[in-house]
């Protein structure tokens, strides 16, 4: 995703000694979905149609844009940098402005293809839809975002009179042009707040009062839809003196899924890590990393400590996986399926400190997982706590070849050694 400038709102955490972007609680939706949502709130957006086949492209050009000479063709993936990306079929650029009679050809080179950008990683993401938009005559480009700010404990509006390019770069080159307007979450946005934002945007041709109303509508959307991020880059002025959200990104708090069913129905699992999708279905907390030692731990704190000690002994964790305190035997089996689906994993380390979580449940899960999954890598097990003796007995009587560890340090050392063989 296009990240907000590091100095203002980015937060990160150290995972096993390696800095990584913090995994936020968020649902990410496609550009065309965000545009449709903003349109419902009265926010100015370009006219556009999302299509998923060549037949739909033909129909859209004919029915939605009969008088347009040029259209913008945008690949739809949940990652930034599309314009400078390259498809695995060799076609360059995920965003193109083309003549109306070329739309079909360009869309055909995108649909069903893998687009690689600086944010997707080398594996890229599949383009299942393209977004056909009217070409606007832009006279000015600005940056606008609303996010949640820990310091002010509420929404923070960020605006810059320059936009259309990386906000991180703008923050370095023009730090004085970026303004921040905290909004009192109890009072809501005031006319004065919105006016401060508009003054920071410094529109050249758009009506000031209309611009203030657009800012207030954007804030209303942010709050009513439980957004964690609403980012528009660029927020543009057109030759018709309108303020338009030319490109937008919206994220939503996963904790609000129960009251935002319409929004969360928009989730596109094809754009997510399949392991994380499987983990979410099994109610497991999983984050894929790049190492070689798969981890299954109960409790986030113990999971973090386990990854740190793996790193201390010279290894690298392949994931963060917290099975929680009430995991069932079935969840343990699913956890093993997820771990073994990662080709990079050379060893699995199970580290359980049984409190609410019982060691015998974990042990039974390991045994059943071995029956369902071909375990081709060594498994290091450290059990301690509730029903630990029963758990160890279940493992011993299973006949499985396991590496038993006495404590966490011993487990990490044995896991790193096994992974290096």
């Amino acid at each position: 995703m296009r990240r907000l400038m590091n100095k203002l709102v980015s937060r990160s955490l150290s995972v096993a000694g390696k800095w990584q972007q913090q995994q936020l609680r968020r649902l990410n939706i496609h550009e065309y979905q965000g545009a449709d949502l903003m349109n419902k709130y009265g926010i100015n957006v370009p006219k556009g149609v999302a299509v998923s086949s060549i037949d739909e492209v033909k129909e859209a050009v004919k029915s939605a844009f009969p008088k347009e000479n040029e259209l913008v063709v945008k690949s739809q993936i949940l990652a930034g940098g599309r314009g400078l990306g390259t498809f695995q079929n060799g076609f360059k650029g995920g965003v193109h402005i083309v003549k109306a009679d070329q739309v079909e050809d360009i869309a055909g080179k995108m649909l069903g293809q893998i687009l690689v950008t600086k944010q997707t990683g080398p594996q890229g993401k599949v383009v299942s839809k393209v977004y056909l938009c009217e070409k606007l005559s832009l006279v000015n480009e600005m940056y606008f975002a609303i996010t949640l700010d820990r310091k002010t404990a509420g929404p923070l509006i960020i605006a810059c009179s320059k936009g259309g390019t990386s906000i991180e770069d703008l923050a370095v080159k023009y730090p004085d042009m970026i303004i921040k307007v905290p909004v009192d979450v109890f009072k809501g946005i005031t006319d004065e707040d919105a006016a401060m934002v508009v003054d920071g945007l410094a529109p050249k041709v758009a009506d000031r009062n209309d611009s203030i109303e657009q800012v207030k509508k954007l804030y209303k959307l942010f709050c009513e839809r439980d957004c964690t991020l609403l980012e528009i880059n660029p927020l543009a002025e057109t030759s018709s003196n309108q303020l338009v959200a030319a490109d937008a990104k919206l994220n939503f708090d996963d904790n609000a899924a129960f009251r935002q069913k319409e929004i969360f129905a928009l989730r596109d699992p094809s754009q997510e890590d399949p392991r994380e999708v499987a983990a979410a279905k099994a109610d497991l907390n999983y984050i894929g990393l790049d190492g070689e030692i798969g981890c299954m731990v109960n409790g986030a704190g113990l999971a973090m400590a386990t990854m740190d000690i793996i790193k201390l002994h010279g290894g690298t964790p392949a994931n963060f996986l917290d099975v929680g305190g009430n995991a069932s035997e079935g969840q343990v089996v699913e956890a093993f399926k997820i771990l073994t689906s990662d080709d990079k994993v050379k060893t699995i380390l199970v580290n359980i400190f049984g409190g609410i979580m019982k060691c015998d449940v974990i042990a039974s899960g390991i045994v059943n997982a071995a029956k369902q999954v071909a375990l081709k890598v060594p498994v290091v097990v450290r059990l301690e706590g509730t029903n630990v003796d029963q758990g160890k007995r279940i493992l011993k009587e299973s006949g499985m070849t396991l590496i038993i560890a006495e404590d966490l340090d011993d487990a990490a050392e044995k896991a790193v050694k096994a992974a290096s063989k």
Side-chain angles (χ1 to χ4, degrees), residues 347-403:
T347 302
I348 294 175
L349 170 55
V350 180
N351 182 25
I352 301 297
F353 188 86
I356 300 173
M357 184 72 252
K358 297 178 177 62
C359 292
D360 57 323
V361 173
I362 291 290
S364 297
I366 293 173
V367 173
N368 284 329
K371 294 176 182 178
Q372 299 181 38
V373 180
L375 290 176
K376 299 178 181 179
V377 297
V379 178
V380 179
V381 180
R382 180 255 182 165
L383 298 177
E384 195 58 70
T386 306
N387 294 351
V388 63
D389 292 334
Q390 294 96 311
K392 289 181 177 179
R393 184 172 64 252
I394 290 170
L395 293 177
K396 184 177 180 181
E397 292 174 354
S398 71
M400 293 177 62
T401 302
L402 301 171
I403 302 173

Side-chain angles (χ1 to χ4, degrees), residues 27 29 37 41 220-228 250-267:
L27 163 71
I29 64 173
L37 181 59
Y41 274 78
K220 182 181 180 182
L221 186 161
F222 181 87
C223 292
E224 288 187 356
R225 294 298 186 164
D226 291 295
C227 294
T228 56
L250 292 90
N251 290 343
F252 305 85
D253 191 334
D254 285 348
N255 288 321
F258 72 98
R259 64 173 170 236
Q260 300 290 354
K261 292 182 172 60
E262 179 186 353
I263 296 294
F264 279 78
L266 302 176
R267 172 170 258 138

Side-chain angles (χ1 to χ4, degrees), residues 1-257:
M1 96 179 206
R2 298 184 305 273
R3 298 165 298 169
L4 290 170
M5 69 288 292
N6 293 335
K7 292 183 180 179
L8 296 178
V9 296
S10 70
R11 293 177 294 170
S12 54
L13 79 163
S14 177
V15 178
K18 181 177 180 180
W19 286 97
Q20 301 206 1
Q21 188 68 24
Q22 184 173 356
Q23 298 293 321
L24 302 177
R25 300 188 310 274
R26 62 169 182 253
L27 163 71
N28 196 356
I29 64 173
H30 287 289
E31 176 189 2
Y32 74 91
Q33 296 167 327
D36 181 61
L37 181 59
M38 287 191 291
N39 185 52
K40 291 177 181 177
Y41 274 78
I43 298 157
N44 299 327
V45 295
K47 180 181 179 181
V49 178
V51 293
S52 55
S53 69
I54 296 301
D55 287 340
E56 290 181 6
V57 171
K58 293 178 181 177
E59 179 60 29
V61 173
K62 181 180 178 181
S63 60
F65 307 103
K67 298 180 181 180
E68 298 290 338
N69 294 321
E70 289 184 304
L71 291 175
V72 185
V73 184
K74 298 183 174 184
S75 55
Q76 296 295 284
I77 62 170
L78 296 181
R82 293 172 297 166
L84 297 177
T86 301
F87 288 87
Q88 289 184 353
N89 63 6
F91 184 60
K92 294 187 180 299
V95 178
H96 288 264
I97 300 174
V98 299
K99 299 292 184 183
D101 59 3
Q102 296 176 313
V103 170
E104 184 180 334
D105 177 56
I106 296 299
K109 294 177 180 178
M110 295 181 177
L111 284 169
Q113 300 299 319
I114 304 295
L115 177 60
V116 179
T117 78
K118 62 182 180 181
Q119 292 187 17
T120 64
Q123 73 279 4
K125 288 183 181 292
V126 64
V127 176
S128 300
K129 287 182 180 288
V130 297
Y131 191 34
L132 309 181
C133 296
E134 63 176 322
K135 180 181 177 293
L136 298 176
S137 177
L138 305 183
V139 298
N140 186 30
E141 296 185 351
M142 300 156 286
Y143 176 90
F144 177 92
I146 310 176
T147 188
L148 296 173
D149 181 49
R150 181 173 294 180
K151 184 177 179 180
T152 59
L156 180 73
I157 301 179
I158 301 167
C160 182
S161 57
K162 288 185 178 292
T165 187
S166 167
I167 190 62
E168 291 89 349
D169 293 340
L170 291 175
V172 173
K173 294 180 181 178
Y174 310 106
D176 295 337
M177 288 187 177
I178 297 171
I179 68 156
K180 298 176 287 180
V181 180
V183 179
D184 188 315
V185 71
F186 298 106
K187 294 180 181 179
I189 191 167
T190 64
D191 288 340
E192 291 75 16
D193 293 333
M196 286 177 61
V197 174
V198 171
D199 290 342
L201 291 169
K204 297 177 180 178
V205 297
D207 181 79
R208 187 171 189 273
N209 290 332
D210 288 346
S211 299
I212 288 173
E213 289 304 310
Q214 287 288 298
V215 169
K216 290 165 70 175
K217 289 176 181 178
L218 286 164
Y219 181 82
K220 182 181 180 182
L221 186 161
F222 181 87
C223 292
E224 288 187 356
R225 294 298 186 164
D226 291 295
C227 294
T228 56
L229 174 68
L230 188 160
E231 184 183 31
I232 302 174
N233 190 17
L235 179 64
E237 293 180 275
T238 68
S239 56
S240 58
N241 299 344
Q242 265 197 327
L243 200 63
V244 176
D247 191 7
K249 180 177 182 59
L250 292 90
N251 290 343
F252 305 85
D253 191 334
D254 285 348
N255 288 321

